[in-house]
């Protein structure tokens, strides 16, 4: 038997070191575990400081003993390689494990064990944990804001329909793949706008929406019988004619007067709110800020002084003011400059304001990508006879945008998390609704639950976005 | 006079205060192969970049195929479509496959139908012997293959003139030959070429005339044999003694 040297464990007496080490580490974790979960200190017979540091000391010695290079056990090797490379790292690893064990019981008890979810009033929340009843009761408000309950199916239906239309890309056949970009960049936002403007907003204007759909369906069906030579004109003229016929000749006045078909109830944008409003605002701001930012970034590099300085002015102005003042101006100052009888909805103003604000950031991110491209790419594109727009659309932007996906994702995430600021103009999306709910006299004192709930929702949204951007990055990665 | 495809008269160019090209006079006839050589910094690259206006000249005139290069961008795009260019750093578009690199300009600039453009591209790729790489991306090819692809890409626009800006300088010695072979074949097919290069072997083999530049001026212009056999100016003699 070789001599044991505890200061320098080696492969001789391998199992002696291994078992001793594992027992010591297990013991140290066990002590902390008992202490944390059952509040029992089994080493309390030792003097104060020693009993306090004992787990750390035991674990440290244990980890030292099992630090044997090339032991042949895969699990042990991976531990040694990852968390136990030297004394200092072993110390840090132990500390982290202890902190996790220590913090688990209070978290568990607050979130689950002592929490309440049954019942439907504040009275059931007697435990020391979270009151999920609060979230349950207010859930509807957190999702839809002040939107009237019987009408909420409109929001659900719109979102489901838009989600479904958004998935079209996955099912598109090879033949239609080339139209996908056009669809997502132009058609889809327009459809989304119509859904939200006519359907969620409602009012008599809803009839326009239904006429539009009827006109579109009829013209598409008729379209199959039209020779392809005339299709171009056909799809411009017929839907519009049908629409006008439907609206002004056949139905409109009579239906309203006779009350045969009740219009969807009009819900003003002030009543919209909750998570659905977060989605609506984020969605449109994302869609608008990207092209505006793109043009600003190109404008900033333009050779024409007017375009160049207008772009620089726009970018520097919007980057230089805080979002909260921009929103405030959009709702308070902006209407003063409008003619008396002109009215632009609060929500629309807010969306425009945020879009312009974020566009300035997007512009600078894209400019970074444009500058990262070597000059040779411009030279090559020019030497093939491409003009400014062809060069940018075919050669420069595809490469530059690919480079700035992480930066754009960054800006978009910031945008989503900036939306709660619209409370300054009286629009209450999810965080706004939380603030409203926590001041309700019947439900005082549950701010914590609300904010945890909102954090989880925001985390899910933002994490999904960041995952998606990472996927995009991987998808478009090419070797340079 | 109609066979003078490039006419440069009294051309001067400055970068800021520094005069890179001094009083350049150059006429190139159709189907001639001109090699431009000289020490680095002598303005060779700038000269041929002026011919398709990647650089602007400040004085004098440049007439390419009967069109004068002026501020009017419409004309410039037309001229650039007729003048192919191959760069030292290849400058392929890394986000497109080799085939797409070659078909991009014919489809979007010349409005050629896609099928036709692809046939044409494969034909040219075949000539430079990389048709089998057509679906790879530039990053997956060797330097020599990339440069040959760049030549094919320029040829797909069916240019009247080809400009080569040190096409072999960024390649390692083994790959230089394959690129030069492609260029020799092109020369034999009767293309008008202006080549900036240090490859004197190539100059001897295909060039009709050699131009020697130094400090922004054309020092000497002579028939190839004449140029190498008995150069006139001392500067040329010095250059040739160092390079050969």
């Amino acid at each position: 038997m070789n001599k044991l040297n505890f200061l320098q464990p080696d492969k001789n007496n391998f199992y002696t070191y291994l078992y001793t080490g594992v027992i010591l580490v297990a013991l140290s974790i066990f002590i902390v575990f008992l202490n944390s979960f059952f509040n029992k200190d089994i080493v309390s017979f030792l003097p104060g400081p020693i009993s306090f540091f004992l787990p750390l000391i035991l674990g440290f010695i244990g980890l030292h003993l099992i630090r044997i290079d090339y032991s042949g056990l895969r699990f042990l090797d991976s531990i040694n390689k990852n968390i136990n490379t030297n004394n200092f790292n072993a110390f840090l690893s132990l500390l982290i494990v202890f902190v996790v064990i220590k913090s688990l019981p209070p978290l568990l008890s607050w979130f689950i064990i002592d929490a309440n979810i049954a019942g439907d009033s504040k009275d059931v929340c007697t435990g020391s944990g979270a009151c999920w009843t609060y979230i349950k009761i207010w859930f509807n408000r957190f999702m839809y804001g002040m939107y009237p309950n019987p009408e909420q199916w409109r929001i659900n239906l719109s979102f489901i329909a838009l989600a479904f239309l958004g998935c079209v890309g996955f099912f598109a056949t090879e033949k239609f793949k080339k139209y996908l970009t056009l669809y997502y960049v132009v058609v889809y936002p327009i459809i989304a706008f119509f859904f939200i403007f006519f359907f969620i907003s409602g009012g008599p204007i809803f009839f326009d929406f239904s006429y539009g759909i009827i006109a579109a369906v009829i013209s598409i069906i008729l379209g199959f019988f039209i020779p392809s030579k005339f299709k171009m004109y056909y799809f411009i003229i017929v839907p519009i004619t049908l629409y006008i016929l439907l609206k002004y000749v056949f139905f409109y006045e009579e239906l309203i007067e006779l009350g045969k078909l009740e219009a969807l109830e009009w819900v003003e944008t002030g009543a919209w709110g909750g998570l659905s409003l977060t989605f609506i605002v984020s969605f449109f701001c994302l869609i608008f800020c990207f092209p505006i930012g793109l043009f600003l970034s190109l404008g900033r590099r333009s050779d024409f002084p007017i375009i160049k300085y207008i772009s620089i002015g726009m970018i520097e102005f919007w980057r230089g003011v805080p979002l909260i003042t921009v929103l405030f101006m959009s709702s308070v100052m902006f209407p003063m400059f409008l003619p008396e009888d002109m009215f632009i909805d609060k929500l629309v103003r807010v969306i425009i304001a945020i879009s312009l604000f974020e566009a300035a950031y997007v512009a600078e991110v894209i400019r970074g990508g444009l500058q990262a491209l070597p000059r040779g790419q411009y030279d090559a594109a020019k030497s093939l006879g491409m003009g400014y727009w062809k060069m940018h659309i075919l050669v420069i932007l595809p490469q530059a945008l690919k480079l700035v996906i992480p930066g754009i994702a960054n800006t978009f995430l910031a945008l989503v998390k900036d939306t709660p600021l619209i409370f300054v103009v009286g629009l209450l999306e999810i965080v706004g609704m939380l603030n409203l709910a926590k001041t309700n006299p019947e439900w005082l004192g549950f701010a914590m639950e609300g904010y945890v709930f909102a954090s989880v929702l925001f985390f899910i949204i933002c994490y999904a976005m960041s995952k998606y951007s990472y996927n995009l990055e991987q998808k478009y990665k090419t070797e340079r | 006079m109609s066979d003078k495809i490039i006419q440069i008269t009294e051309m001067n160019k400055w970068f800021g205060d520094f005069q890179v090209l001094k009083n350049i006079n150059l006429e190139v006839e159709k189907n001639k192969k001109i090699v431009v050589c000289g020490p680095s910094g002598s303005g060779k690259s700038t000269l041929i970049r002026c011919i398709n206006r990647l650089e602007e000249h400040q004085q004098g005139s440049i007439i390419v195929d009967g069109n004068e290069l002026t501020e009017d961008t419409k004309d410039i795009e037309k001229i650039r479509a007729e003048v192919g260019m191959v760069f030292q750093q290849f400058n392929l578009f890394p986000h497109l496959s080799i085939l797409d690199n070659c078909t991009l300009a014919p489809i979007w600039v010349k409005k050629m139908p896609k099928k036709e453009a692809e046939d044409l591209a494969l034909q040219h790729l075949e000539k430079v012997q990389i048709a089998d790489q057509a679906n790879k991306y530039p990053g997956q090819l060797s330097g020599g293959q990339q440069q040959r692809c760049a030549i094919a890409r320029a040829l797909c626009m069916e240019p009247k003139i080809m400009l080569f800006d040190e096409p072999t300088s960024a390649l390692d010695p083994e790959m230089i030959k394959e690129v030069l072979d492609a260029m020799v074949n092109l020369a034999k097919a009767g293309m008008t070429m202006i080549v900036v290069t240090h490859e004197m072997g190539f100059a001897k083999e295909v060039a009709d005339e050699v131009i020697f530049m130094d400090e922004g001026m054309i020092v000497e212009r002579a028939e190839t044999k004449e140029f190498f056999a008995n150069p006139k100016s001392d500067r040329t003699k010095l250059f040739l003694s160092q390079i050969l």
Side-chain angles (χ1 to χ4, degrees), chain A residues 375 377 379 382 390 394, chain B residues 49 80 92-93 95 108:
Chain A
R375 186 177 164 210
Q377 293 292 316
D379 284 347
K382 281 183 197 163
K390 276 176 194 158
L394 298 173
Chain B
R49 285 168 66 87
R80 280 175 181 161
L92 295 177
F93 306 134
H95 63 298
W108 292 95

Side-chain angles (χ1 to χ4, degrees), chain B residues 25-78:
Chain B
N25 286 294
L26 182 66
E27 288 182 347
V28 179
E29 286 163 18
K30 221 171 193 170
N31 300 340
K32 291 278 183 205
K33 287 93 194 142
I34 312 273
V35 164
V36 183
C37 60
S40 40
S42 59
K44 320 177 288 282
S45 292
T46 314
L47 173 64
I48 70 165
R49 285 168 66 87
C50 279
I51 293 173
N52 65 354
R53 211 181 170 78
L54 289 178
E55 305 281 357
E56 286 176 33
H57 60 284
Q58 278 94 12
Q59 275 181 11
S61 73
I62 302 177
I63 299 171
V64 177
D65 198 25
N67 300 302
E68 182 165 1
L69 294 181
T70 54
E71 294 289 330
D72 191 348
T73 47
K74 267 279 169 297
D75 280 349
I76 289 170
E77 279 160 32
K78 214 172 77 192

